[in-house]
Amino acid sequence: MKKILVCGAGGFIGGHLIAELRKQAGVSLRAVDRKPLDEWYQRFEGVENFQLNLERREDCGIAVKECDCVYNLAADMGGMGFIELNKALCMLSVLINTHLLLAARESGVQRFFFASSACVYNADKQRDPNVTALKESDAYPAMPEDGYGWEKLFSERMCRHFREDFGIQTRIARYHNVYGPLGTFDGGREKAPAAICRKVIGAKLSGKHDIEIWGDGHQTRSFMFIDDCLKGTQMLMESDFVEPLNIGSSELVSINQLVDIVEEIAGIRLARRYNLSAPKGVNGRNSDNTLIKELFGWEPTTRLRDGLEITYRWIYDEMVKVRASGGVSVVNRG
């Protein structure tokens, strides 16, 4: 029986990963997050669910005890509105990965996955909305997103050196904007797809047919649906490839086009107000999937329109339930 630890299991990707791993035979699962259990986005029976603060060395020791494999998805993070305004908090996530690696070494963990980010890429290569897709080597010379990106890049190097010096088989994925249902869509930590869905739904439900867009709307991104993220993650974890690898969609869209798609799903057209002083990140970012296709003959394939419809429908149902109850908007618990 293989024992697998998922760190950050109370979060969006971590919750979905636990759900996927539960389908596999011959595994025992431990889920860890620092949030109280009743605040986890998804929680399952038959799984060891621990509330631990993985910034603490002793808590990491408890988390990894007797585990064979570790997925580190834990970080203090959010969308651009959060990471641009909370650089120190984002940098402190370096404690999580460092203490987990130390604990993994002491406990004899066989394989260790680290969830990195496209925010590690050199900002000079992301100044044009018509961006050339970013390949793995574009992280150097280093000039990543301030705060969050630097922490991810440093933690990538920590994984590399623990592999080289101590023999821990580390795997590193650079995620590009993961979205889907059962995740954050309000409160300040949400990412663009969920935020746009929430704003469009709010306009539809309220009858106030306008929307605020951060930046001029011409900035471009690619967005990866959660199912593709999970498939790519497990393919990489089970492979012999040891270098950082892009896991992201190559379907590039502008924020204006993202709004277009959500409006089409909602069956509504909104007046647009552009907040040029709001955080908007780099002007353009896309995933070069040459390497992942060479390695696995695969890349994320879910069309943005299809993934957004699933995400929109879930957020819509959540917001309608909140309005009906007069409560505060939160995701499903339990």
Side-chain angles (χ1 to χ4, degrees), residues 12-307:
F12 166 52
I13 300 175
H16 280 282
L17 180 59
I18 287 285
E20 188 67 24
L21 291 171
R22 288 177 76 236
K23 301 174 185 177
Q24 300 181 9
V27 299
S28 171
L29 298 176
R30 178 177 295 161
V32 171
D33 203 284
R34 74 177 180 184
K35 296 188 292 291
L37 295 180
D38 62 357
E39 295 181 10
W40 290 23
Y41 293 166
Q42 299 185 70
R43 193 171 71 248
F44 303 97
E45 294 182 359
V47 175
E48 292 182 314
N49 296 311
F50 293 172
Q51 182 189 0
L52 296 169
N53 182 353
L54 297 176
E55 291 181 355
R56 300 173 183 162
R57 174 76 181 274
E58 58 270 25
D59 283 15
C60 288
I62 296 169
V64 305
K65 185 178 180 181
E66 300 177 344
C67 289
D68 302 296
C69 299
V70 174
Y71 288 88
N72 179 17
L73 303 167
D76 200 351
M77 57 85 67
M80 193 53 60
F82 178 81
I83 66 176
E84 282 201 5
L85 300 175
N86 295 277
K87 294 183 176 67
L89 288 178
C90 291
M91 288 294 291
L92 284 171
S93 292
V94 73
L95 296 173
I96 298 172
N97 198 59
T98 302
H99 289 154
L100 276 174
L101 282 167
L102 286 166
R105 180 194 176 199
E106 293 167 358
S107 295
V109 166
Q110 298 168 12
R111 193 156 291 207
F112 185 101
F113 174 88
F114 175 64
S116 188
S117 166
C119 289
V120 303
Y121 284 114
N122 189 311
D124 277 345
K125 296 180 180 293
Q126 303 173 77
R127 298 189 183 281
D128 189 337
N130 300 309
V131 64
T132 300
L134 296 160
K135 55 185 181 295
E136 284 78 3
S137 60
D138 288 332
Y140 296 94
M143 192 167 66
E145 188 88 38
D146 199 9
Y148 180 71
W150 276 110
E151 184 277 320
K152 290 296 188 184
L153 193 61
F154 177 85
S155 292
E156 285 189 9
R157 303 298 291 190
M158 186 73 78
C159 287
R160 173 177 177 169
H161 296 312
F162 266 70
R163 174 177 56 82
E164 293 172 338
D165 293 356
F166 305 131
I168 297 176
Q169 286 300 306
T170 55
R171 302 293 184 264
I172 302 164
R174 290 177 181 161
Y175 289 154
H176 288 247
N177 294 308
V178 187
Y179 74 98
L182 289 165
T184 303
F185 61 86
D186 64 1
R189 291 179 182 258
E190 65 277 16
K191 295 187 177 182
I196 297 299
C197 286
R198 186 200 74 240
K199 290 179 180 181
V200 171
I201 293 165
K204 184 169 185 173
L205 294 176
S206 69
K208 298 177 181 178
H209 289 182
D210 65 349
I211 184 172
E212 181 185 81
I213 298 172
W214 288 5
D216 59 13
H218 296 303
Q219 62 269 35
T220 56
R221 296 291 188 277
S222 64
F223 300 99
M224 174 174 55
F225 191 58
I226 183 63
D227 291 2
D228 288 328
C229 174
L230 298 176
K231 182 172 182 177
T233 294
Q234 291 181 82
M235 290 172 70
L236 176 59
M237 184 64 153
E238 295 164 5
S239 76
D240 294 327
F241 188 73
V242 299
E243 300 297 332
L245 181 69
N246 281 337
I247 300 181
S249 170
S250 58
E251 182 184 352
L252 186 69
V253 296
S254 69
I255 298 302
N256 280 327
Q257 289 172 321
L258 179 64
V259 176
D260 290 341
I261 295 170
V262 178
E263 286 179 336
E264 179 190 342
I265 293 168
I268 194 172
R269 294 291 293 177
L270 304 176
R272 302 183 183 188
R273 295 178 286 106
Y274 294 93
N275 184 348
L276 302 182
S277 63
K280 70 180 186 68
V282 296
N283 288 325
R285 177 182 292 152
N286 195 14
S287 180
D288 184 320
N289 288 343
T290 302
L291 184 54
I292 195 170
K293 287 189 288 187
E294 288 177 354
L295 290 170
F296 303 124
W298 176 87
E299 65 175 321
T301 56
T302 304
R303 288 194 318 145
L304 180 59
R305 173 64 170 77
D306 296 336

